[in-house]
Each structure stands twice: as structure tokens, then as C-alpha cells.
Amino acid sequence: MEIFMIILILIIMLLIIGINAVTIGTGVLLVMELFSVLMFLFFALSILFFFFCKRRKAKFLRVERSEKNIHFAVYSYEGEEYRNLYPLDGMFAKKMYHEGRPYTVRLKRGKKHRFLFDWYSRLVMVLGLITSVTLIVGIGWFILALREI
């Protein structure tokens, strides 16, 4: 909430010093476009990284809640526990996952990083990629339309 107040104050200050509202709007859209491109890069790299992980069968153990109240799916593979890379929606966790059931996952086992991608991760990556591309095109089109004004 505080960030919105800061942005509002900055916009009001820019209007007071005489900057055109269309220029301010274009600047806001350019920042949104930058964040959309960064979101696209994140999901594209996640999908690329996904394909370099090994496919394994892991047993779902539980839904774990982190210290920031974020839910993660926890799996067991060869006696070790692995957490899903993407957090899940805690409200639908009981409907999406069943304890003790084996799932096909993509597993990353390293010295520093131990995680996996499950079916929910694939869904998040694909939807995130589609959303980010849609945002990039839509915001870009809107910026080009503003240049005509």
C-alpha cells in the first residue's frame, strides 16, 4: 500500500512541475513493459531449466507451510525430501495432491540446490509464459497507440 502512495505522490509532483500526463503515462507503461519482459525471461529460463532436470517418480508426502505462510508440495525420492520449486495455492492443495501417491516429477539434485518440478510447476510455467507474452504485446501496442496522440 505504501508503494502506491509513493507512486501517486511522484506522479502528482511530476504534474506540478509541468510534465505532460501522456508522457507520465508512457513512462508508467514502459516500466510495466520492463517488468513484463523480466517476467517472460524468468518463465522462459524456468522452462529451459525444467528440461535439464531428470524425470523421476516421487511420492507426495505433504503440503508444507514456510515461515512466510507460503505453501509448498513436499515429495520423497530415494528417502530424501524435495520441495516443489513453485509455491502452490493452499486453498486447493487437498484437491490437487493426494498423500502417498507417486507423481512423475523433474528432479534437481545438487550440492546447494535440491528441488523438483511437478505437474503444478508445468502449469505455472506455461500460464506464466502465456501471460507475460500477452502483457508484452498488449502494453507494447498501447505504448505505440499513445505515441500517436
Side-chain angles (χ1 to χ4, degrees):
M1 186 67 182
E2 292 85 10
I3 190 75
F4 293 118
M5 294 301 292
I6 293 171
I7 291 171
L8 183 65
I9 291 170
L10 285 174
I11 290 173
I12 291 171
M13 289 174 61
L14 290 172
L15 287 171
I16 289 172
I17 62 173
I19 295 179
N20 188 357
V22 174
T23 305
I24 294 171
T26 304
V28 169
L29 288 174
L30 285 172
V31 170
M32 290 172 61
E33 184 80 2
L34 173 69
F35 282 117
S36 298
V37 169
L38 292 174
M39 187 170 76
F40 169 79
L41 290 174
F42 170 75
F43 285 115
L45 288 174
S46 292
I47 290 173
L48 184 67
F49 193 61
F50 168 81
F51 286 113
F52 286 108
C53 292
K54 296 180 181 179
R55 182 180 286 188
R56 301 283 186 248
K57 282 278 193 187
K59 185 169 68 169
F60 175 73
L61 294 178
R62 66 185 177 280
V63 173
E64 185 176 82
R65 188 180 289 184
S66 72
E67 60 275 352
K68 294 182 180 179
N69 203 20
I70 300 172
H71 296 83
F72 290 94
V74 179
Y75 291 85
S76 173
Y77 178 73
E78 293 183 348
E80 295 183 43
E81 290 187 2
Y82 294 88
R83 197 168 82 169
N84 190 10
L85 185 63
Y86 289 97
L88 60 101
D89 185 15
M91 190 166 53
F92 297 111
K94 291 188 189 242
K95 294 178 183 177
M96 294 177 3
Y97 294 101
H98 304 287
E99 287 185 25
R101 180 176 170 205
Y103 289 91
T104 302
V105 297
R106 296 279 184 146
L107 188 65
K108 170 67 174 147
R109 294 182 356 174
K111 293 177 183 175
K112 292 184 180 180
H113 305 288
R114 294 176 32 185
F115 57 87
L116 54 80
F117 295 99
D118 64 358
W119 64 272
Y120 182 74
S121 299
R122 286 181 238 162
L123 180 67
V124 168
M125 289 186 292
V126 169
L127 290 177
L129 197 67
I130 291 169
T131 302
S132 60
V133 168
T134 304
L135 282 172
I136 289 169
V137 170
I139 294 171
W141 176 81
F142 201 67
I143 290 172
L144 290 176
L146 277 179
R147 291 183 76 198
E148 301 293 323
I149 296 177

